[in-house]
C-alpha cells in the first residue's frame, strides 16, 4: 500500500549511514535509558507477536491503514514553511532547523504548542527530529489531525507529571525518547485501533535501544503515572483546544477552542485573554 511504502521510506532515511552523525537513533552505540529502566523487572507489555490494541482494533500498520480510508492529516509539505512566525512559537529557534523532518506545516505549529503545554523550556535538536518523525509516523498510520491533537494533549499532561517526579534526574538526551514513549502510551489510551510497540520500535527506536529495553521503559513510565492515563475533562478541553487552534481549516475543525478553559494559555500570535 502507498502508506506502507512511505513508512518504509521513512525507515530507510532513519537507517541511512549518512544520517548517523545527526540523529540519535542512527548512532552506532546504544545508550541506556538510565532513570526509566533502573531496577525494572523484565516486564512484558507486548504479546509474543508484539500486538497491543484496545477495543479489538487492528494491531498492525497495514491493518490500521486499511481500517481508515480517509486521509489523516494530509497538508502542505513542510518545506513550504517559510510563512511561520518562528519567534512566536515556543522553542521555534530549535524547531526551525529540523523543519524538513515534518510531514506538514501544521506539525511544526503543533510541536510549539505541545512544548508550551508540557512546560518544556529547553530541548535538543535530536529530540525535535524524533518528535517530528513521530508525528509523521502517526499521520502515515492514518490517524487524523484531531487524533494527533488528542494524543498530544494527553502526552503533555503525562510528561508534566513524570517531570515533576524525576525531571531533575532526566538526561537532556533522554527527553525526546521519553516524550515519544509517552506518545505511545497516549495513543494506546485514546485510540480504538493502535500500532503495537514493536512497530513503533521498528520505525522510531530501533537504532536507539532493543525492544526489550523500550518495553521496560513503557512499564516504568506507567508506574510513574500510577497507571492513571485519563485526564480531567476541563484539563483535556484546555489542552486539546489549544492544539486544535493551530490546525489549518482543511486539517480539522478546532473543536472545543471556544471553551473558557482554552483561554488559560496564550497561543502563539495571541495575547493573554481574560
Amino acid at each position: 500500500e502507498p502508506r506502507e511504502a512511505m513508512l518504509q521510506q521513512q525507515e530507510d532515511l532513519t537507517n541511512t549511514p549518512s544520517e548517523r552523525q545527526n540523529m540519535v537513533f542512527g548512532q552506532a552505540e546504544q545508550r541506556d535509558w538510565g532513570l526509566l529502566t533502573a531496577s525494572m523487572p523484565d516486564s512484558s507489555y507486548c504479546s509474543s507477536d508484539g500486538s497491543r490494541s484496545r477495543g479489538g482494533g487492528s494491531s498492525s500498520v497495514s491493518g490500521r491503514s486499511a481500517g481508515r480510508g480517509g486521509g489523516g492529516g494530509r497538508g502542505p509539505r513542510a518545506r513550504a514553511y517559510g510563512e511561520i512566525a518562528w519567534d512566536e512559537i515556543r522553542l521555534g529557534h530549535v524547531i526551525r532547523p529540523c523543519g524538513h523532518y515534518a510531514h506538514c506545516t501544521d506539525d511544526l505549529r503543533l510541536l510549539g504548542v505541545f512544548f508550551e503545554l508540557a512546560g518544556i523550556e529547553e530541548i535538543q535538536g535530536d529530540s525535535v527530529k524524533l518528535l517530528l518523525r513521530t508525528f509523521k509516523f502517526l499521520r502515515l498510520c492514518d490517524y487524523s489531525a484531531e487524533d494527533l491533537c488528542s494524543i498530544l494533549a494527553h502526552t503533555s499532561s503525562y510528561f508534566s507529571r513524570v517531570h515533576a517526579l524525576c525531571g531533575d534526574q532526566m538526561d537532556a538526551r533522554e527527553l525526546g525518547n521519553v516524550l515519544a514513549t509517552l506518545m505511545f502510551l497516549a495513543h494506546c489510551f485514546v485510540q480504538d485501533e493502535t500500532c503495537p510497540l514493536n512497530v513503533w520500535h521498528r520505525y522510531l527506536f530501533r537504532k536507539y535501544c532493543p525492544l526489550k529495553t523500550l518495553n521496560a521503559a513503557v512499564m516504568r513510565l506507567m508506574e510513574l503515572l500510577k497507571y492513571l492515563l485519563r485526564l480531567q475533562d476541563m484539563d483535556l478541553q484546555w489542552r486539546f483546544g489549544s492544539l486544535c487552534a493551530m490546525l489549518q481549516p482543511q486539517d480539522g475543525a478546532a473543536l472545543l477552542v471556544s471553551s473558557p478553559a482554552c483561554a488559560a494559555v496564550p497561543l502563539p500570535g495571541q495575547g493573554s485573554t481574560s
Side-chain angles (χ1 to χ4, degrees):
E1 293 186 5
R3 290 188 181 278
E4 286 282 6
M6 294 179 72
L7 280 170
Q8 184 61 50
Q9 185 179 29
Q10 177 177 340
E11 181 185 19
D12 293 341
L13 173 64
T14 303
N15 297 324
T16 300
S18 61
E19 294 288 314
R20 290 181 179 175
Q21 297 302 318
N22 299 322
M23 298 178 64
V24 169
F25 287 79
Q27 295 189 5
E29 73 275 15
Q30 293 177 345
R31 291 191 286 270
D32 292 332
W33 276 82
L35 170 70
L36 292 184
T37 56
S39 304
M40 281 298 296
D42 182 13
S43 53
S44 178
Y45 184 77
C46 300
S47 62
S48 58
D49 64 352
S51 62
R52 169 65 169 169
S53 62
R54 298 176 68 250
S58 168
S59 62
S60 67
V61 173
S62 58
R64 171 68 195 168
S65 299
R68 283 286 189 91
R74 295 185 182 91
R77 297 301 298 173
R79 55 177 171 268
Y81 60 76
E83 73 279 6
I84 294 179
W86 293 105
D87 58 338
E88 298 178 0
I89 294 179
R90 172 70 69 91
L91 297 174
H93 65 287
V94 183
I95 299 174
R96 185 173 187 176
C98 307
H100 59 286
Y101 286 89
H103 181 65
C104 59
T105 54
D106 277 348
D107 287 358
L108 300 171
R109 299 186 181 94
L110 286 174
L111 186 58
V113 178
F114 173 70
F115 286 157
E116 189 168 356
L117 294 173
I120 296 174
E121 300 289 346
E122 185 178 357
I123 194 169
Q124 294 184 352
D126 286 331
S127 293
V128 171
K129 294 174 188 177
L130 172 59
L131 292 173
L132 288 174
R133 287 177 47 237
T134 306
F135 289 12
K136 182 177 181 178
F137 169 79
L138 289 169
R139 286 183 180 269
L140 292 179
C141 289
D142 229 3
Y143 291 103
S144 69
E146 289 98 333
D147 288 338
L148 181 57
C149 287
S150 181
I151 291 169
L152 292 176
H154 284 77
T155 304
S156 65
S157 177
Y158 298 164
F159 178 77
S160 297
R161 290 159 57 189
V162 170
H163 192 268
L165 292 173
C166 55
D168 57 339
Q169 305 172 46
M170 193 178 297
D171 189 280
R173 296 173 302 179
E174 197 176 18
L175 181 58
N177 298 285
V178 171
L179 289 168
T181 307
L182 287 171
M183 286 181 67
F184 168 77
L185 283 177
H187 113 287
C188 285
F189 179 71
V190 304
Q191 295 299 314
D192 292 325
E193 298 180 34
T194 63
C195 289
L197 187 62
N198 67 327
V199 177
W200 284 66
H201 178 263
R202 175 184 175 187
Y203 290 104
L204 298 170
F205 295 96
R206 189 172 69 179
K207 290 294 182 177
Y208 184 80
C209 67
L211 177 59
K212 181 178 179 180
T213 303
L214 179 61
N215 190 73
V218 169
M219 297 307 298
R220 175 57 175 161
L221 287 170
M222 287 283 286
E223 181 182 339
L224 290 172
L225 293 170
K226 300 185 184 301
Y227 304 94
L228 300 175
L229 301 182
R230 182 179 180 183
L231 305 188
Q232 295 293 323
D233 290 344
M234 291 298 290
D235 186 35
L236 176 58
Q237 288 181 13
W238 161 55
R239 294 175 186 276
F240 180 66
S242 298
L243 290 158
C244 282
M246 291 295 100
L247 297 178
Q248 297 295 327
Q250 69 270 19
D251 254 358
L255 303 176
L256 302 178
V257 173
S258 61
S259 170
C262 297
V265 170
L267 300 174
Q270 299 179 358
S272 300
T273 58
S274 57

